[in-house]
Amino acid sequence: MQHIAVIGAGTMGNGIAHVFAQNGHKVNLIDLSEDSLTKGLTTITKNLDRMLAKEKITESDKTTTLNNISTFTILREGVANVDLVVEAASENLTVKLSIFKELDAICDENTILATNTSSISITQIAAATNRPQKIIGMHFMNPVPIMQLVEIIRGYSTSDETTQQIMKLSTELGKTPTEVNDYPGFVANRILMPMINEAIETLYNGVAGVSEIDTVMKLGMAHPMGPLQLADFIGLDVCLSILNVMHDGFKSSKYAPCPLLVNMVMAKKLGVKSGEGFYDYSESRKAKKVSSQFL
């Protein structure tokens, strides 16, 4: 698999494109917006510059990586003659089903179609196509160039051959692929999101403040980042979306999102991406200042 298409130039998409390109793959980065593509390439360049400053790569490595990436705003052109498509669009079922239905119609029958979804059913996505055996989940972790794990999710009809190809490819990227089955939230978010939601409930119920909750989890449980800071980093809207998928999928109240989380998303307090969540990021992207609403 030498030629890869990545759909979506946002945080996850540009990270996935970066990793493939740095490992010698030709990458077609696709987005409807030229502005998003420009921002995506700028992010990739900045990340490569950081690696260069730390002497993890050479100037030649940086140039080669950037030269491996081509950009497209037209889906049909971007996915022509590729071996693998990795969809990294918004975490929205309707959007994903529409994309995969179109991909199935325009891609070669041998092309594997993967999604970077963090919670949506691979089986449901595959049902929108005529190639369910070639549909698979590749859940990269953020930030993609740094995080080692790739959660490989098999849908109900995903073939052994497809799974083995994607596991091998992920290993060649320097990642550690871990195979899981297709249930809401998979493994990573099925365990992580209830913890984040419980941290928000703890704040909501007045048990402790933002920094106190994060300090307990960092120092007491050896977590590198507190759950409220992590929620801000992921995006509170994304956390809410994943919890809603699990709540709907399992019909269990333990996955019901905290009312505080729901209200913050409605108020557009989404974390780092909006400049404020549980912390205030107006002066720094680091969680140094608790949001005024929680003081």
Side-chain angles (χ1 to χ4, degrees):
M1 289 189 186
Q2 288 304 308
H3 203 168
I4 314 296
V6 178
I7 300 175
T11 300
M12 296 305 296
N14 71 61
I16 294 167
H18 172 162
V19 168
F20 274 109
Q22 190 178 332
N23 284 276
H25 298 273
K26 295 296 182 182
V27 179
N28 293 353
L29 183 58
I30 306 164
D31 201 290
L32 293 173
S33 165
E34 284 280 8
D35 185 53
S36 293
L37 288 168
T38 300
K39 288 179 179 177
L41 286 176
T42 298
T43 298
I44 293 170
T45 303
K46 287 180 179 178
N47 287 335
L48 288 168
D49 284 337
R50 290 192 189 97
M51 297 175 76
L52 186 60
K54 294 178 181 178
E55 299 184 343
K56 292 184 176 180
I57 62 170
T58 65
E59 188 68 46
S60 175
D61 293 331
K62 173 187 170 182
T63 300
T64 300
T65 298
L66 291 173
N67 287 341
N68 279 339
I69 302 173
S70 302
T71 60
F72 296 83
T73 55
I74 299 174
L75 184 63
R76 179 180 292 274
E77 294 178 1
V79 300
N81 303 314
V82 300
D83 305 304
L84 168 69
V85 179
V86 182
E87 173 272 322
S90 62
E91 192 72 353
N92 179 292
L93 176 61
T94 302
V95 170
K96 290 188 187 297
L97 292 179
S98 175
I99 289 172
F100 273 80
K101 185 175 182 179
E102 185 173 0
L103 288 174
D104 187 49
I106 62 180
C107 289
D108 182 87
E109 63 180 11
N110 293 316
T111 303
I112 294 175
L113 307 180
T115 174
N116 183 59
T117 182
S118 55
S119 61
I120 294 172
S121 169
I122 307 304
T123 303
Q124 189 171 6
I125 291 172
T129 76
N130 292 309
R131 64 179 85 193
Q133 75 281 3
K134 288 188 172 291
I135 310 298
I136 196 165
M138 290 186 78
H139 181 205
F140 289 85
M141 305 293 130
N142 186 27
V144 181
I146 296 173
M147 298 294 281
Q148 190 175 10
L149 176 68
V150 183
E151 200 174 23
I152 306 298
I153 306 103
R154 292 185 67 137
Y156 187 84
S157 301
T158 306
S159 69
D160 289 341
E161 181 183 7
T162 295
T163 303
Q164 289 161 9
Q165 285 180 284
I166 296 303
M167 293 283 284
K168 180 175 182 290
L169 177 63
S170 300
T171 300
E172 290 169 353
L173 294 176
K175 303 298 185 183
T176 300
T178 303
E179 182 183 336
V180 305
N181 290 318
D182 186 22
Y183 290 93
F186 315 133
V187 171
N189 282 316
R190 184 169 179 173
I191 295 170
L192 175 63
M193 285 302 154
M195 184 192 75
I196 286 177
N197 197 45
E198 194 62 32
I200 300 171
E201 286 278 3
T202 302
L203 176 66
Y204 181 59
N205 292 328
V207 178
V210 171
S211 61
E212 288 77 10
I213 291 168
D214 278 354
T215 297
V216 167
M217 296 305 291
K218 285 189 290 185
L219 300 185
M221 312 303 165
H223 290 194
M225 188 182 294
L228 299 178
Q229 181 186 359
L230 180 56
D232 276 355
F233 181 72
I234 294 169
L236 302 191
D237 53 337
V238 176
C239 293
L240 178 59
S241 174
I242 295 169
L243 283 164
N244 281 333
V245 167
M246 292 195 296
H247 187 219
D248 182 62
F250 290 115
K251 311 298 183 188
S252 171
S253 61
K254 74 178 181 179
Y255 299 112
C258 176
L260 174 58
L261 174 62
V262 175
N263 282 342
M264 289 179 72
V265 172
M266 286 195 293
K268 311 260 185 235
K269 306 294 185 182
L270 307 180
V272 176
K273 71 172 80 174
S274 69
E276 185 180 1
F278 295 105
Y279 293 87
D280 184 335
Y281 301 94
S282 58
E283 298 175 0
S284 171
R285 286 177 62 87
K286 295 182 179 179
K288 295 180 177 179
K289 183 179 178 183
V290 173
S291 173
S292 60
Q293 66 181 312
F294 298 117
L295 295 177

